[in-house]
Amino acid sequence: MAGDQGGAPGGTSAAAGERPGLKDRLTDGLYGLGWAGVKKLPEPAAVALGRKVADYAWKRRGGSVLRLESNLARVVPGAGPERLRELSRAGMRSYMRYWMESFRLPAMNRQRFADEVLIEGAHHLTDGIAAGRGVIVALPHLANWDLAGAWVTSHLRIPFTTVAERLKPASLFDRFVAYREGLGMEVLPHTGGAAFGVLARRLRAGGLICLVADRDLSASGVEVDFFGSAARMPAGPALLAQQTGAVLLPVTLWYDETPVMRGRIHPPVPVPETGTRQEKTAAMTQAVADVFAEGIAAHPEDWHMLQRLWLADLEPRREPARPAEEERSGKRSEERSA
């Protein structure tokens, strides 16, 4: 159940006509090496490699690890420094498990998707599709959403549509699109309102769309209460449900101590009977956020949120200086240089 708008680690959002630099080409090459090389490793070797990479990154205490710990401190408010370090180490191992699995997915026997993915509440999804209403699956960055998507297309035999943010270099974006399309997903670039229209058409035709939906820092994001603090999440799932009549299903995933990934498809989020479209969207997005919070609190080590999320954690935007302020600043500069 893909559709990650957060992009790939090391990849950045693409700008039209921008030529890739050395860092971009290196990033693309490393991902190409991952898909080409890791899938050829014996599974125990791939698991061991992922754990070593995770532990190395965790010991370096880089910005992503520190941000993960900061986010986990909100999820587990009573945790002390030692507990947070334990959680972040487990979190990095879970995160690298995601990547090792993802690199190996294209070569994996499809029967394993049925054997090693156990999803509760699948009837919510299949009933919605059978009714011809269309289904929207919304899920957070928990465990392996690509593996869940492969389970849907191979085990349930239901194709679906998702979106992906354009990355640079373009070759990296193309790799992700080809990878997910190889798993049976239709992937749309996340470019303005064009993707929204296609998603609405897929739903009106009774189809399935899947969206990773626990982070949206754009102006269109809906403010929600998330673990007691304000955050923004995408309005798209709620708006699509209102406009098309599709069923909106939150999904949470987690790993256990075996090769199995587990998950739960939660009951539908209803469209409120009263209120404006904005009020309905806010209420539905909050309901989705509440389900996400429940799943994340139960399995915090499997939440791969290595970026800023809560509004209080965002760096304040610098407002343009007003003419009077610019004049005073200029005078102070002249005084210092005199």
Side-chain angles (χ1 to χ4, degrees):
M1 301 175 189
D4 182 12
Q5 297 178 21
T12 53
S13 299
E18 193 172 328
R19 296 183 63 182
L22 176 61
K23 180 182 177 182
D24 296 329
R25 294 196 299 271
L26 179 60
T27 299
D28 177 54
L30 289 173
Y31 278 97
L33 180 63
W35 269 300
V38 173
K39 68 182 179 182
K40 296 179 181 178
L41 292 175
E43 188 165 352
V47 171
L49 175 62
R51 179 160 291 204
K52 286 182 179 179
V53 173
D55 288 349
Y56 174 75
W58 178 78
K59 288 176 182 177
R60 287 188 62 197
R61 308 289 293 163
S64 294
V65 173
L66 296 178
R67 175 51 51 192
L68 177 61
E69 286 186 6
S70 176
N71 290 338
L72 289 171
R74 292 184 181 273
V75 174
V76 190
E82 183 175 351
R83 173 59 176 154
L84 286 176
R85 283 175 65 86
E86 291 175 354
L87 280 173
S88 68
R89 185 175 190 176
M92 291 304 294
R93 288 180 171 181
S94 174
Y95 184 52
M96 287 312 302
R97 175 175 171 176
Y98 162 81
W99 280 109
M100 293 299 108
E101 288 177 344
S102 295
F103 287 144
R104 295 173 61 81
L105 276 180
M108 194 177 291
N109 186 309
R110 295 302 187 257
Q111 181 57 39
R112 292 188 58 181
F113 298 148
D115 297 338
E116 298 183 7
V117 179
L118 300 178
I119 305 292
E120 305 169 14
H123 66 279
H124 293 302
L125 194 161
T126 54
D127 289 351
I129 294 296
R133 291 183 57 187
V135 174
I136 305 158
V137 162
L139 64 167
H141 288 80
L142 273 170
N144 193 333
W145 45 97
D146 284 329
L147 177 56
W151 175 82
V152 169
T153 58
S154 63
H155 180 60
L156 296 184
R157 301 189 181 279
I158 300 174
F160 68 87
T161 303
T162 186
V163 297
E165 184 177 3
R166 284 195 177 276
L167 302 171
K168 66 174 184 179
S171 53
L172 178 58
F173 175 76
D174 292 341
R175 286 187 192 276
F176 272 92
V177 170
Y179 154 65
R180 286 172 172 153
E181 288 181 343
L183 298 174
M185 312 175 193
E186 178 190 21
V187 182
L188 306 175
H190 186 259
T191 51
F196 188 93
V198 176
L199 294 174
R201 288 196 294 273
R202 298 292 183 271
L203 291 170
R204 291 191 179 100
L208 170 65
I209 68 168
C210 299
L211 303 169
V212 178
D214 57 347
R215 183 176 186 266
D216 186 349
L217 303 184
S218 71
S220 63
V222 177
E223 189 168 317
V224 296
D225 181 276
F226 199 52
F227 290 99
S229 297
R232 288 198 192 103
M233 294 189 181
L239 287 172
L240 285 165
Q242 292 175 65
Q243 291 190 14
T244 68
V247 181
L248 173 55
L249 301 175
V251 172
T252 53
L253 305 169
W254 66 93
Y255 291 126
D256 60 17
E257 297 180 357
T258 72
V260 174
M261 184 183 76
R262 298 181 180 272
R264 178 174 297 114
I265 300 177
H266 297 263
V269 173
V271 177
E273 295 182 0
T274 60
T276 64
R277 185 174 71 168
Q278 183 177 5
E279 290 169 342
K280 292 178 180 180
T281 300
M284 295 174 72
T285 306
Q286 183 64 61
V288 170
D290 291 342
V291 176
F292 288 175
E294 178 185 342
I296 292 166
H299 304 279
E301 68 280 2
D302 290 326
W303 189 41
H304 306 155
M305 185 54 67
L306 282 67
Q307 299 168 299
R308 298 177 189 271
L309 174 71
W310 282 274
L311 302 186
D313 294 337
L314 301 182
E315 295 179 357
R317 294 181 179 178
R318 296 182 60 182
E319 297 293 335
R322 294 189 293 272
E325 293 174 342
E326 292 175 346
E327 183 179 348
R328 288 196 297 271
S329 177
K331 287 181 179 179
R332 286 195 295 269
S333 298
E334 291 173 3
E335 292 169 358
R336 284 196 296 269
S337 62

